[in-house]
Amino acid sequence: MAPKLPTSWAQLPPTFLLPDALLPLIAKRGVKYGWSTAPPRNKHARFNQPTQGIPKPTTGPAAALARKAFTLPLRTGALAVKKGMTAIYDAESGKRTACTVLQFDRVQVVAHKTRAQHGYFAVQVGSGWKHESNVTRPLLGHFAQAGVSPKRFMAEFRVKDENGLIPVGQILGPEWFIEGQFVDARADSRGMGWAGGMKKWGWSGQPASHGNSKTHRAMGSSGASQGSGSRVHPGKKMPGRMGGHQVTTQNIKVLKIDAEKGLVVLSGCIPGPDGCTVKIQDALKKPWPKVPEAVLSGSQVIEPLKAMA
Amino acid sequence: MPPTSRPLACWKSLLRSSRHQKATARSLTTYHHSKPASQTPITLPWNALNATPHVNRKIKTYPPPPSPAAKFKEPIKDLHEAQIAVLDPTGARSSLFSKSNPEAARVGDILLVRLKTGDPFAGVCINIRRRGVDTGILLRNELTRVGVEMWFKIYSPNVEGIEVVQRAAKRARRARLTYLRKPKHDMGSVQNIVLQYQRSRSAIQGGGQNDRRGNSRKKGKARR
C-alpha cells in the first residue's frame, strides 16, 4: 500500500474546483520549517533501547525521584501561626518543658502537583483568609477551581507519591499530627537588618590595642586568591543583611494537640518571631509516624467543598 | 490524472503542479461578501452595556470554613489558666505574686523557697518575671561568702512552698533590683534573718511540732 502523504493545501485540487469556504482568506506561504508529533528520527535511538540490558539512567526526572524516595515524607505538612512560647509542667514528675504554641487557621488543600504534569508530587496548602478584592484574578480562578476560599498564606509540601495527595479542599486540623511524633518546623527567621561580620558570622574582630587604629569590629582579610588576592572567592562570608531567611529546625516533638482551639504545642523553640507562619511536616530523620486512617481521610471535610473537589 | 491518486509514481508531475499552485496561491485574494443588512444583528449601546463582557466576568468565591483561631485568640493565656488550675488549685501561689494583691510579695522582700527535694533556699527577691504559668522569681543570697542567685518557677511542682521572711522596709522603686549585686548595695547573707524567722515561727506553732508542711500554702498572709 502506498504511504499516505500529508495533505496540505498544495495537494488540494485546483482552486476552481474548491468551494469558497475552503480557501484561505489570506494568501499563505508554504511552511518551510514545520514540526511533527512523530518520534524524532534519531540515528542512535536503536542503541538506547531499554530491552538491551543497559543500566537505568542515573540522571533525569525518574532518577531524581528515585533518589528522593527515601527522604520524601509520605504525607503533606501544614501551615500554622506561631503564637509564642511558654512552658508545660508534668504534674507527676514536676518536669518543666519549654514549648512553642502554634495555631492552625483554616488550613486547606488547594492544589496538587503531579509527576505527569509537574514532574514531582506535592500538595499545595493554604491557610488564613483573604478578601477577594485583595486577590488577583488568576489566583481567584485558582481558588475557585479548588472550591476553597482565597487563602492568605500558601505553601507546597512535597510527598513521595500519589498516595500522599489528599483530596483538594480537605481541611487539615492540628489532629493531622499526633502527640509524641516528631516534626520539622521551618519559618523565616527574625530579620536582624544589616549586621557586621562579628554579629553575623561570629568573627572575633580585631584587637583593641597593639597599634590598632579604628578597626576593631571590621572583617580582616577577605582571603587570598591566585597568589596575590586579585579577587574574592564566591560565597565569601561578608557583613550584610542578617536573618529573614528560611530556617528549619529538625526533630521537634509534638507535646500536645488541641483540636478545638486549633493548637499544636511543640517542644522547645522554632525559628521566626511570634505571629509568623510556620511550615510543619513529619520529621525526615525519624521513622514516619503511624497515622490512623481517619486522620488521613480527613473526616471533617465540609460538605460543599467536598462536592466541589 | 489527479496528482494525489498515485503519488509515488508521479513525483515530478506532482511537484510541478504544486509549484504552479504555489505561485497562484501567493497572489490569491478573496472577495469580501458583505452580508445583507437584514441578517446582521444590530448592536445598540445599551445592548453592549447589558451584555456580560468576557473579561471582568465575576469569578466565584467560596466562603472560608469556620476558624477556631478567630474564636481562641489568646491560646497561650488559655494554656496558662488550664495549667495553673492543675498546679495551683488553691490559688495561693498566684495570689502571692499577683499584682492585684496588696499583700503580695514584692521585689526587695526576703523569701524562703522550700523544695520537694533538696534544702530550702532563702534570699532577697531581686526580680519577679511574670509569665503566667512560667512565672519565676530570682533570689539572691550569700553562701560561704559567695553571692548566689537562684531562679525558681513559682508553679513548679518541685517548689513545695514559698514564705515571706521579711518585707522590704520601703517599696522598691525599680522592677528589678539588679543594683543589689553591686558591693555598695549588696545585702550580704540573709541567713541570720531567716534563722530568726524560723525560730519565732516554731515558737508560735508550739515547740515540738516543727511541721511546716501544714501551712506551706499560706505563708505570706499567715505571717502578718
Side-chain angles (χ1 to χ4, degrees):
Chain A
M1 185 185 160
K4 198 184 168 194
L5 276 183
T7 314
S8 85
W9 63 267
Q11 273 76 39
L12 287 173
T15 36
F16 56 85
L17 290 179
L18 278 174
D20 258 12
L22 281 179
L23 279 177
L25 282 175
I26 303 160
K28 285 196 304 187
R29 307 295 299 263
V31 178
K32 195 171 178 188
Y33 302 105
W35 56 274
S36 161
T37 53
R41 300 184 62 179
N42 186 348
K43 203 164 69 175
H44 309 292
R46 63 199 170 99
F47 297 114
N48 295 334
Q49 295 301 318
T51 51
Q52 276 189 326
I54 52 175
K56 280 186 178 174
T58 53
T59 55
L65 277 185
R67 274 199 305 276
K68 286 284 250 177
F70 184 65
T71 47
L72 280 178
L74 304 181
R75 59 186 195 136
T76 175
L79 285 171
V81 178
K82 180 173 171 181
K83 299 303 278 191
M85 285 194 72
T86 179
I88 280 186
Y89 285 100
D90 183 21
E92 280 80 49
S93 67
K95 193 172 169 1
R96 172 184 176 273
T97 315
C99 62
T100 308
V101 181
L102 304 181
Q103 194 167 38
F104 278 52
D105 185 16
R106 296 166 279 192
V107 183
Q108 269 180 302
V109 176
V110 176
H112 291 158
K113 295 284 168 90
T114 56
R115 171 79 206 285
Q117 211 179 338
H118 309 94
Y120 60 99
F121 291 107
V123 179
Q124 193 184 57
V125 172
S127 83
W129 179 72
K130 218 173 173 184
H131 194 269
E132 58 182 276
S133 62
N134 288 332
V135 184
T136 58
R137 285 178 61 81
L139 258 183
L140 267 187
H142 183 59
F143 291 122
Q145 199 184 22
V148 301
S149 61
K151 297 289 178 189
R152 163 110 12 215
F153 305 108
M154 305 268 280
E156 215 177 273
F157 292 95
R158 280 195 72 170
V159 291
K160 191 181 166 192
D161 50 22
E162 65 272 12
N163 297 328
L165 301 179
I166 51 173
V168 169
Q170 180 169 330
I171 295 180
L172 298 179
E175 63 275 12
W176 181 255
F177 297 99
I178 301 156
E179 280 183 21
Q181 81 159 98
F182 288 87
V183 293
D184 292 343
R186 45 181 46 172
D188 284 348
S189 64
R190 239 173 241 277
M192 306 286 175
W194 201 97
M198 284 181 72
K199 182 177 173 180
K200 194 176 174 192
W201 300 108
W203 294 337
S204 44
Q206 291 176 36
S209 64
H210 293 288
N212 196 317
S213 170
K214 297 179 185 174
T215 47
H216 302 291
R217 296 182 61 89
M219 70 184 285
S221 165
S222 55
S225 164
Q226 296 179 2
S228 56
S230 56
R231 69 187 180 106
V232 177
H233 284 295
K236 173 79 195 89
K237 290 172 181 170
M238 292 260 185
R241 285 279 177 91
M242 179 180 172
H245 55 264
Q246 183 174 276
V247 175
T248 309
T249 312
Q250 292 184 317
N251 306 333
I252 308 171
K253 197 172 188 183
V254 176
L255 296 179
K256 213 171 146 188
I257 296 292
D258 189 337
E260 189 206 352
K261 294 175 184 169
L263 300 185
V264 172
V265 181
L266 300 181
S267 169
C269 53
I270 59 170
D274 288 357
C276 73
T277 309
V278 185
K279 293 192 266 184
I280 43 177
Q281 197 168 17
D282 295 343
L284 287 186
K285 294 186 178 172
K286 298 278 180 185
W288 303 129
K290 290 187 180 62
V291 185
E293 195 52 42
V295 170
L296 291 174
S297 61
S299 42
Q300 49 157 316
V301 174
I302 294 177
E303 292 313 309
L305 300 172
K306 201 176 180 180
M308 275 300 299
Chain B
M1 189 183 73
T4 49
S5 61
R6 290 188 63 199
L8 282 183
C10 52
W11 277 108
K12 203 172 177 182
S13 65
L14 178 74
L15 287 173
R16 189 184 297 131
S17 75
S18 162
R19 213 163 32 240
H20 285 163
Q21 287 204 353
K22 208 187 263 180
T24 53
R26 277 194 196 130
S27 56
L28 198 111
T29 52
T30 51
Y31 294 106
H32 174 69
H33 300 287
S34 61
K35 283 180 185 169
S38 60
Q39 284 180 19
T40 49
I42 306 161
T43 52
L44 295 169
W46 49 87
N47 279 355
L49 282 176
N50 289 342
T52 322
H54 177 66
V55 290
N56 298 341
R57 192 182 292 153
K58 189 148 168 57
I59 299 175
K60 186 171 185 196
T61 50
Y62 293 83
S67 160
K71 218 192 281 177
F72 302 98
K73 284 197 168 159
E74 291 183 344
I76 293 189
K77 209 172 162 190
D78 299 348
L79 268 180
H80 284 164
E81 280 165 9
Q83 281 199 80
I84 287 172
V86 173
L87 297 169
D88 183 27
T90 59
R93 292 172 194 232
S94 302
S95 68
L96 183 60
F97 293 98
S98 147
K99 275 194 164 172
S100 57
N101 178 11
E103 297 180 356
R106 287 204 209 102
V107 286
D109 295 356
I110 297 174
L111 302 183
L112 173 74
V113 175
R114 284 182 289 102
L115 303 167
K116 259 190 192 146
T117 53
D119 293 337
F121 186 89
V124 193
C125 180
I126 60 174
N127 189 358
I128 301 175
R129 186 189 279 165
R130 291 190 176 85
R131 300 281 188 283
V133 77
D134 210 18
T135 299
I137 52 172
L138 179 59
L139 302 185
R140 180 181 171 86
N141 196 358
E142 199 169 78
L143 301 177
T144 66
R145 302 215 173 174
V146 178
V148 176
E149 287 183 10
M150 292 271 279
W151 274 105
F152 293 100
K153 298 288 180 186
I154 64 165
Y155 292 105
S156 168
N158 295 337
V159 170
E160 207 179 38
I162 303 171
E163 297 173 30
V164 179
V165 173
Q166 193 186 54
R167 297 271 170 186
K170 259 168 71 180
R171 184 182 67 82
R173 300 179 72 167
R174 304 280 179 277
R176 283 172 269 283
L177 309 184
T178 46
Y179 61 83
L180 288 181
R181 293 167 182 159
K182 291 185 177 170
K184 185 183 168 190
H185 300 281
D186 201 347
M187 288 175 75
S189 172
V190 296
Q191 214 56 37
N192 291 333
I193 304 169
V194 174
L195 278 175
Q196 199 184 345
Y197 160 77
Q198 282 173 334
R199 250 180 270 127
S200 68
R201 275 280 307 266
S202 57
I204 290 167
Q205 283 187 353
Q209 30 174 304
N210 198 4
D211 183 21
R212 290 192 225 109
R213 213 163 279 235
N215 55 1
S216 66
R217 292 276 153 80
K218 297 163 221 145
K219 48 262 128 156
K221 279 176 227 165
R223 177 78 189 116
R224 8 201 74 238

